[in-house]
């Protein structure tokens, strides 16, 4: 306890934030060993997702001290590796931020650190969608970018996402290089942080992003689909409305209770369209206004959720369904280039690309990998992430994805058809690719490690009555994939991938079954068969993993 108090007191002496100083001082005064131990058990690790964690005092929380160290480590890495001339001047770092608690503070601290390190810093003019930051990096010729966001995490979290000059998120070995520079910082006193010297950008960069959205839609395409839109208490509303107005779509009907930024996300348990209940207000608005589709962004607007009316009820389309719809739409428009997805996404994309004679690639989970595919034309991930304009934004973009799915809905509407009709056509053409997920959130991270170890030591021979024809431990890598902590099981007509989440305390199991569909009349039977198989996969996998 004495050592704990000493470390906490040393941290307190350097902490520049009066809020976390007061928090930590109260814990020290109370002698709260449990809380202090949790906050000083180590340091929040900088990885390929940057930083993400709960707000609070201490090295295991997100706070200004941790962010200043991260920014200083990034600056040192850039000075060694990433500026145009390998020197200390001329390298621009663009900084964006969302509307979460402390995001603006973290952005200002980052700008101050970059300026103090001899780099140039430019901060976006206000809280804006993450894809605007990803666009700005390439548009402005920056050597790096930082987005302060925790995306769709709970309100008590924040995060720090790092991009390099190609406009895509960092991957190894850059993450380890930056982490090493962060670890080399012994004291905040050695990090210069001038109070001025960086630029606050005006709306020109946002205007350029919006102008770039013109490239997403086909000239002369129908623009008739009517939408209900929710920003999920995030920063997407103004940019999406401007993009829709520019494109000539009907103005979306807003879910008023969720339209404005609110870091407390008061109407949802989790600000993620995939979470149960998150779309209830949007569906209520849709029942009242009868649109053609419902669109939702997550709080930093890099993801796009789509819902449709199905049998008199509104339902969310799965990310894999939207991914296939956008791919089919781009193929029909004559798109050329590589179609790519992560290994946890539906294999239907490969079938669509193959039939169209287009290159296709699978990557590890995360847009940091998808964005690096050579010749990328379209990439998606089942977690509602879509890259439909890689020349503009080399990351997932919930604004341009919303434009493209609304264009598709408009075209189908002109034909007297719907998104569901096109999904039916794809199922008959390629087989019904039904996906689901078994996701377990834990308080104790050792439960995830235990489940992975159990599956490695005793891999299942059968799941859902289907023989496991191939079991792969992805920590060893494959011919086409670098190593990652994951397991992949190939079955006769099914596929299962198990991996720890990279951003949340979750074990995620991705399930896919493929059921042949001879004709449209066979779709109900195929769906019943697919649902039964998915349910059985969940039960058997849960038992095998002990979760």
């Amino acid at each position: 306890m004495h050592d704990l108090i000493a470390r906490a007191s040393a941290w307190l002496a350097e902490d520049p934030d009066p809020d976390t100083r007061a928090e930590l001082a109260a814990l020290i005064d109370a002698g709260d060993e449990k809380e202090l131990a949790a906050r000083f058990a180590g340091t929040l690790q900088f990885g390929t997702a940057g930083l993400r964690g709960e707000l609070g005092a201490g090295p295991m929380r997100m706070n200004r001290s941790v962010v200043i160290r991260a920014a200083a480590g990034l600056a040192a890495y850039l000075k060694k590796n990433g500026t145009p001339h390998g020197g200390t001047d001329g390298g621009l770092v663009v900084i964006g931020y969302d509307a979460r608690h402390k995001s603006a503070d973290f952005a200002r601290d980052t700008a101050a650190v970059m300026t103090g390190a001899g780099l140039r810093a430019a901060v976006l003019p206000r809280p804006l969608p993450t894809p605007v930051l990803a666009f700005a990096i390439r548009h402005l010729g920056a050597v790096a970018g930082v987005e302060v966001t925790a995306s769709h995490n709970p309100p008590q979290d924040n995060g720090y996402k790092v991009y390099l000059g190609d406009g895509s998120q960092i991957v190894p070995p850059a993450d380890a290089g930056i982490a090493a520079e962060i670890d080399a910082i012994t004291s905040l006193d050695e990090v210069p942080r001038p109070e001025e010297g960086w630029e606050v950008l005006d709306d020109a960069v946002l205007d350029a992003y919006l102008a770039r959205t013109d490239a997403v839609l086909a000239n002369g395409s129908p623009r008739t689909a009517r939408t209900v839109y929710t920003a999920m208490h995030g920063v997407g509303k103004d940019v999406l409305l401007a993009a829709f107005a520019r494109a000539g779509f009907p103005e979306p009907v807003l879910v008023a209770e969720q339209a404005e930024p609110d870091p407390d996300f008061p109407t949802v348990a989790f600000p993620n369209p995939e979470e149960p209940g998150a779309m209830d207000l949007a569906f209520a608005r849709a029942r009242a206004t009868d649109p053609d589709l419902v669109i939702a962004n997550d709080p930093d607007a890099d993801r796009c959720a789509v819902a449709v009316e199905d049998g008199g009820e509104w339902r969310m389309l799965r990310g894999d369904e939207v991914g296939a719809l956008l791919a089919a739409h781009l193929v029909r428009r004559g798109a050329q280039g590589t179609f790519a997805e992560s290994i946890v996404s539906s294999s239907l994309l490969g079938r669509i690309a193959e039939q169209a004679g287009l290159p296709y690639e699978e990557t590890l989970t995360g847009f940091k990998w998808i964005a690096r595919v050579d010749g990328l034309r379209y990439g998606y991930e089942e977690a509602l992430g879509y890259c439909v304009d890689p020349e503009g934004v080399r990351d997932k973009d919930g604004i341009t994805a919303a434009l493209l799915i609304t264009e598709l809905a408009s075209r189908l509407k002109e034909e007297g058809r719907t998104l569901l009709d096109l999904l039916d056509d794809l199922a008959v053409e390629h087989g019904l690719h039904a996906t689901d997920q078994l996701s377990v959130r834990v308080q104790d991270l050792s439960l995830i490690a235990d489940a992975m170890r159990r599956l490695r030591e005793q891999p299942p021979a059968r799941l859902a009555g289907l023989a496991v024809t191939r079991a792969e431990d992805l920590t060893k890598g494959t011919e086409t994939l670098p190593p990652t902590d994951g397991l992949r099981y190939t079955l006769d007509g099914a596929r299962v991938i198990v991996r720890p989440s990279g951003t949340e305390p979750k074990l995620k199991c991705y399930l896919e079954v493929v059921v042949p569909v001879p004709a449209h009349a066979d779709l109900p039977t195929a769906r019943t068969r697919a649902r039964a198989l998915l349910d059985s996969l969940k039960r058997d996998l849960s038992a095998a993993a002990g979760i």
Side-chain angles (χ1 to χ4, degrees):
M1 184 63 180
H2 178 75
D3 178 59
L4 197 55
I5 294 290
R7 282 187 286 139
S9 298
W11 184 275
L12 177 64
E14 287 192 336
D15 190 340
D17 188 332
D19 294 336
T20 46
R21 283 178 59 82
E23 179 187 321
L24 186 54
L27 292 174
I28 294 171
D29 290 344
D32 192 334
E33 184 172 2
K34 182 180 178 182
E35 271 298 310
L36 288 171
R39 292 156 189 265
F40 287 86
T43 57
L44 205 57
Q45 291 302 298
F46 188 93
T48 51
L51 293 167
R52 194 175 292 188
E54 185 177 346
L55 289 162
M60 287 294 289
R61 298 287 187 266
M62 283 295 297
N63 51 64
R64 290 183 60 195
S65 296
V66 165
V67 164
I68 289 166
R69 283 179 166 84
L74 173 60
Y77 176 86
L78 292 172
K79 287 163 68 176
K80 287 182 180 178
N81 302 281
T83 59
H85 310 292
T88 60
D89 59 351
L92 173 66
V93 179
V94 188
I95 302 148
Y97 59 104
D98 66 11
R100 284 179 177 266
H101 293 296
K102 298 291 182 182
S103 286
D105 293 337
F106 295 167
R108 281 192 296 270
D109 282 332
T110 301
V113 170
M114 295 301 163
T115 302
L119 297 164
R120 292 185 296 125
V123 183
L124 294 185
R126 58 186 172 280
L128 287 168
T130 293
V132 177
L133 181 277
F135 167 83
I137 295 166
R138 291 162 61 83
H139 178 67
L140 298 174
V143 297
V146 171
E147 177 69 18
V148 180
T149 180
S151 188
H152 55 275
N153 275 38
Q156 64 268 24
D157 289 2
N158 213 328
Y160 198 80
K161 189 182 293 187
V162 176
Y163 299 74
L164 292 183
D166 62 355
S168 56
Q169 297 175 51
I170 56 169
V171 295
D175 58 337
I178 296 168
E181 297 292 348
I182 295 171
D183 290 343
I185 296 160
T186 57
S187 169
L188 292 191
D189 293 338
E190 68 187 56
V191 181
R193 303 196 306 279
E195 295 187 3
E196 56 186 18
W198 59 88
E199 178 184 2
V200 177
L201 296 167
D202 59 21
D203 276 355
V205 68
L206 176 59
D207 293 342
Y209 169 84
L210 289 169
R212 176 68 204 183
T213 64
D214 294 347
V216 173
L217 304 177
N219 290 332
S221 63
R223 312 281 168 93
T224 56
R226 295 178 302 108
T227 57
V228 160
Y229 171 71
T230 175
M232 204 68 67
H233 298 296
V235 298
K237 182 199 71 171
D238 291 346
V239 179
L240 182 131
L241 290 180
F244 269 55
R246 183 182 183 94
F249 287 116
E251 183 177 358
V253 175
L254 298 178
V255 179
E257 302 93 327
Q258 299 174 333
E260 300 302 328
D262 188 330
D264 294 318
F265 307 107
T267 68
V268 292
F270 284 90
N272 179 354
E274 293 179 296
E275 293 284 345
M279 295 290 285
D280 287 355
L281 288 172
F283 291 164
R285 198 78 181 102
R287 287 191 290 271
T289 57
D290 192 30
D292 297 299
L293 69 164
V294 172
I295 290 173
N297 287 139
D298 67 338
D300 69 326
D302 62 351
R303 299 169 197 252
C304 177
V306 180
V308 295
E309 192 174 16
D310 186 3
E313 297 293 332
W314 284 88
R315 77 165 177 94
M316 276 267 294
L317 294 178
R318 300 191 67 83
D320 285 317
E321 291 176 308
V322 177
L325 288 168
L326 293 175
H329 183 44
L330 289 170
V331 166
R332 178 167 166 172
R333 278 181 29 183
Q336 295 295 310
T338 302
F339 280 27
E341 63 181 339
S342 62
I343 57 172
V344 299
S345 305
S346 171
S347 58
L348 178 55
L349 183 68
R351 304 270 184 102
I352 293 170
E354 181 182 17
Q355 187 185 66
L358 295 174
Y360 164 77
E361 282 196 32
E362 277 189 323
T363 75
L364 293 183
T365 306
F367 262 83
K368 58 185 176 283
W369 299 108
I370 294 172
R372 285 177 163 75
V373 168
D374 286 342
L376 180 67
R377 175 57 186 87
Y378 169 64
Y380 98 91
E381 191 156 63
E382 54 76 41
L384 311 184
Y386 314 94
C387 176
V388 302
D389 177 28
E391 292 305 307
V393 175
R394 201 157 288 186
D395 197 7
K396 55 186 178 289
D397 183 345
I399 305 297
T400 51
L403 288 170
L404 193 62
I405 197 69
T406 307
E407 178 186 63
L408 172 57
S410 299
R411 193 204 83 201
L412 292 168
K413 184 178 182 180
E414 299 292 297
E415 299 170 356
R417 287 157 42 82
T418 67
L419 296 175
L420 293 178
D421 292 327
L422 180 52
L423 284 172
D424 287 350
D425 292 349
L426 292 171
V428 172
E429 195 168 1
H430 302 289
L432 177 63
H433 289 62
T435 59
D436 204 348
Q437 191 177 128
L438 174 63
S439 182
V440 182
R441 184 181 292 271
V442 300
Q443 294 292 327
D444 181 359
L445 289 176
S446 69
L447 296 176
I448 294 177
D450 290 344
M452 295 296 289
R453 185 178 65 253
R454 190 176 293 112
L455 288 170
R456 286 190 170 102
E457 291 175 352
Q458 297 178 309
R462 298 183 71 84
L463 293 168
L466 304 173
V468 176
T469 59
R470 188 178 186 188
E472 298 171 274
D473 185 345
L474 299 177
T475 55
K476 303 170 184 176
T478 71
E479 289 183 3
T480 57
L481 298 171
T484 188
D485 186 8
L487 300 164
R488 179 163 61 182
Y489 303 112
T490 303
L491 302 90
D492 185 15
R495 182 216 65 197
V496 173
I497 293 176
V498 184
R499 59 179 283 271
S501 170
T503 56
E504 299 177 90
K506 282 183 176 181
L507 181 69
K508 290 189 169 184
C509 309
Y510 303 85
L511 320 173
E512 179 177 42
V513 299
V514 182
V515 179
V517 186
H520 279 78
D522 300 300
L523 275 164
T525 302
R527 289 198 177 97
T528 300
R529 167 69 175 156
R531 185 69 263 163
L533 281 171
L534 288 169
D535 289 343
S536 186
L537 278 174
K538 279 187 177 182
R539 287 193 299 270
D540 291 357
L541 187 62
S542 180
I547 55 177

